[in-house]
Amino acid sequence: NAGVTQTPKFRVLKTGQSMTLLCAQDMNHEYMYWYRQDPGMGLRLIHYSVGEGTTAKGEVPDGYNVSRLKKQNFLLGLESAAPSQTSVYFCASSYRPGGYQETQYFGPGTRLLVL
Amino acid sequence: GDSVTQMEGPVTLSEEAFLTINCTYTATGYPSLFWYVQYPGEGLQLLLKATKADDKGSNKGFEATYRKETTSFHLEKGSVQVSDSAVYFCALTSGTYKYIFGTGTRLKVLA
């Protein structure tokens, strides 16, 4: 099993450009998450999904959109990138919180630099 | 709402020293507690977990005990190695979609 994979690993954007980050998991997990990690702030939840075709906002959703058309994929879009979106983005998945398979599994991260 | 507070770093230790990283939490109900580790340039990996009061999670020489009376889940290791240098995150989930993470504690172990 590959676990959770993320594409791309690193990207540089200019202000105003758009891009999509792809997350894929092969563990048949229901829940998927996008976080951003900034120095001194830990992990902040951007959006999450509790199943195929459903998405919801997390703590810091502004400037981002997501889609979960297939159970194994969770896409994060930036429509018009801003320097404040420079960060490391992590995708995670879990079977379901609160159950014996509640552990979250993380991808390796995408480093995004917006100039 | 639920929250996790962990000690600020960085923590710098010599090899073979004893490690404690403090973590306290506030939560409604009975959360599950986790420690994750993040090595440089990588994602977070589960280190250990505990799902109910008095449970002890352990892995790779690390241990943490779920203390409901003090709402704590401190991470300990008896003898650290250079390879343990990483950032450690305490986290909880109360059974909803949410996982709450602390801000992370950077550990640096010197040879």
Side-chain angles (χ1 to χ4, degrees), chain A residues 97-98 102, chain B residues 30-34 91-100:
Chain A
E102 62 193 344
Chain B
Y30 302 95
S32 294
L33 303 173
F34 307 82
L92 69 80
T93 182
S94 293
T96 67
Y97 72 90
K98 260 189 180 182
Y99 292 78
I100 308 296

Side-chain angles (χ1 to χ4, degrees), chain A residues 43-72:
Chain A
L43 290 170
R44 293 185 291 171
L45 181 64
I46 304 171
H47 285 281
Y48 67 98
S49 168
V50 301
E52 181 179 317
T54 71
T55 63
K57 294 179 181 179
E59 299 173 64
V60 289
D62 293 343
Y64 305 95
N65 56 74
V66 287
S67 64
R68 183 113 181 256
L69 299 179
K70 293 183 179 180
K71 186 177 183 179
Q72 64 267 33

Side-chain angles (χ1 to χ4, degrees), chain A residues 31 33 35 37 40-43 45 48 50 57 90 94 96-100 102-109 111, chain B residues 32-34 36 38 40-46 49-51 87 89 93-99 101-104:
Chain A
Y31 287 68
Y33 306 78
Y35 294 92
Q37 184 179 37
M41 303 193 73
L43 290 170
L45 181 64
Y48 67 98
V50 301
K57 294 179 181 179
F90 287 101
S94 65
R96 70 176 186 278
Y100 73 98
E102 62 193 344
T103 299
Q104 262 191 334
Y105 294 86
F106 284 81
R111 294 183 179 274
Chain B
S32 294
L33 303 173
F34 307 82
Y36 283 85
Q38 184 181 30
E42 298 184 9
L44 279 70
Q45 305 172 25
L46 179 70
K49 64 182 280 190
T51 58
V87 181
F89 291 89
T93 182
S94 293
T96 67
Y97 72 90
K98 260 189 180 182
Y99 292 78
F101 290 83
T103 53

Side-chain angles (χ1 to χ4, degrees), chain B residues 10-29:
Chain B
V11 174
T12 303
L13 296 173
S14 298
E15 207 166 23
E16 299 184 3
F18 184 86
L19 169 71
T20 301
I21 300 178
N22 291 338
C23 172
T24 58
Y25 69 90
T26 58
T28 54

Side-chain angles (χ1 to χ4, degrees), chain A residues 36-38 64 83-89 110-113:
Chain A
R36 59 180 289 174
Q37 184 179 37
D38 302 291
Y64 305 95
S84 61
Q85 294 178 303
T86 293
S87 188
V88 181
Y89 292 86
T110 295
R111 294 183 179 274
L112 177 65
L113 175 61

Side-chain angles (χ1 to χ4, degrees), chain A residues 4 8 10 19 22 27 38 51 57 61 65 76 79 82 94-95 102-103:
Chain A
V4 180
F10 178 70
M19 78 164 294
L22 171 64
M27 296 173 281
D38 302 291
K57 294 179 181 179
N65 56 74
L76 177 72
E79 292 181 345
S94 65
Y95 183 61
E102 62 193 344
T103 299

